[in-house]
């Protein structure tokens, strides 16, 4: 944490970064709906259910006006496959130590972008943090099959499973 920053400053910075990254995708309308307090559309809700981020996923998260989670929820309701928003959400959940939900997000990212090794690392770590040690081990083994000299994977694998 940077000295002199507050959680609110960090939240505002994250929202700014997400908005900048998503400018070209037409997400401004979704963000504007959030800012004006517009309700969730039923069609979007069913789309979210289809991709595993339905109402149960968002239950008990901070969905107050202006929260990072609400902004990301609105973005993902418009485009449940938005990799930037999913990445931001996954990292936010890890920060909050909500590893079960972060696992759902990183599994989704791995399906959407299977060539990105970062999702596999994050997924393996989420498996480990949720007590699913065998799945974590298998995921790290799969990473090592693709990247046999990955210092990161070797270090975690040797530390956790040997």
């Amino acid at each position: 944490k940077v000295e002199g920053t507050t959680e609110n400053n960090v939240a505002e910075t994250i929202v700014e970064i997400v908005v900048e990254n998503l400018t070209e995708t037409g997400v401004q309308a979704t963000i504007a709906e959030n800012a004006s307090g517009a309700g969730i559309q039923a069609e979007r809700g069913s789309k979210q259910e289809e991709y595993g981020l339905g109402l149960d996923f968002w239950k008990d998260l901070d969905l107050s006006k202006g929260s990072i989670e609400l902004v990301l929820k609105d973005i993902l309701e418009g485009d449940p496959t938005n990799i930037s928003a999913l990445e931001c959400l996954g990292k936010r959940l890890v920060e909050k130590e909500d590893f079960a939900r972060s696992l759902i997000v990183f599994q989704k990212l791995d399906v959407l972008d299977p060539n990105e090794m970062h999702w596999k690392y994050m997924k393996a770590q989420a498996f480990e943090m949720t007590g699913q040690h065998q799945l974590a081990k298998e995921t790290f083994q799969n990473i090592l099959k693709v990247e046999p000299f990955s210092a990161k994977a070797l270090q975690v694998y040797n530390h956790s499973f040997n």
Side-chain angles (χ1 to χ4, degrees):
K1 193 170 188 177
V2 178
E3 189 175 328
T5 64
T6 64
E7 187 173 315
N8 205 24
N9 290 349
V10 173
E12 290 172 7
T13 302
I14 291 172
V15 170
E16 288 173 16
I17 291 168
V18 170
V19 171
E20 284 176 22
N21 288 336
L22 301 175
T23 300
E24 296 176 12
T25 63
V27 181
Q28 295 84 1
T30 304
I31 294 170
E33 282 179 23
N34 176 37
S36 68
I40 298 172
Q41 297 175 356
E43 181 180 324
R44 287 181 173 175
S46 65
K47 198 173 186 184
Q48 285 292 88
E49 289 289 344
E50 179 182 341
Y51 289 99
L53 297 178
L55 295 177
D56 286 342
F57 178 87
W58 298 100
K59 187 177 180 179
D60 300 325
L61 288 176
D62 176 15
L63 297 178
S64 60
K65 187 173 181 176
S67 70
I68 295 170
E69 289 85 354
L70 183 58
V71 171
L72 293 170
K73 181 178 186 279
D74 286 348
I75 292 168
L76 291 167
E77 284 176 342
D79 179 8
T81 62
N82 186 305
I83 289 177
S84 296
L86 286 165
E87 178 181 14
C88 188
L89 177 61
K91 289 178 178 179
R92 177 72 174 170
L93 293 168
V94 168
E95 287 173 9
K96 291 185 159 207
E97 298 183 6
D98 190 342
F99 300 110
R101 275 188 253 222
S102 73
L103 177 58
I104 293 168
V105 173
F106 291 122
Q107 286 176 315
K108 173 76 176 156
L109 282 163
D110 192 31
V111 169
L112 291 171
D113 190 5
N115 295 323
E116 177 57 59
M117 296 306 290
H118 183 65
W119 314 141
K120 295 175 188 338
Y121 285 107
M122 297 303 291
K123 184 171 71 169
Q125 291 174 336
F127 278 135
E128 183 70 18
M129 296 307 293
T130 58
Q132 300 177 66
H133 305 293
Q134 185 59 36
L135 289 172
K137 181 178 180 179
E138 291 169 11
T139 304
F140 277 116
Q141 288 172 334
N142 289 334
I143 291 169
L144 290 168
K145 287 178 186 174
V146 177
E147 294 183 350
F149 301 109
S150 167
K152 184 177 179 180
L154 286 168
Q155 180 183 14
V156 174
Y157 183 82
N158 286 330
H159 175 71
S160 299
F161 305 111
N162 284 331

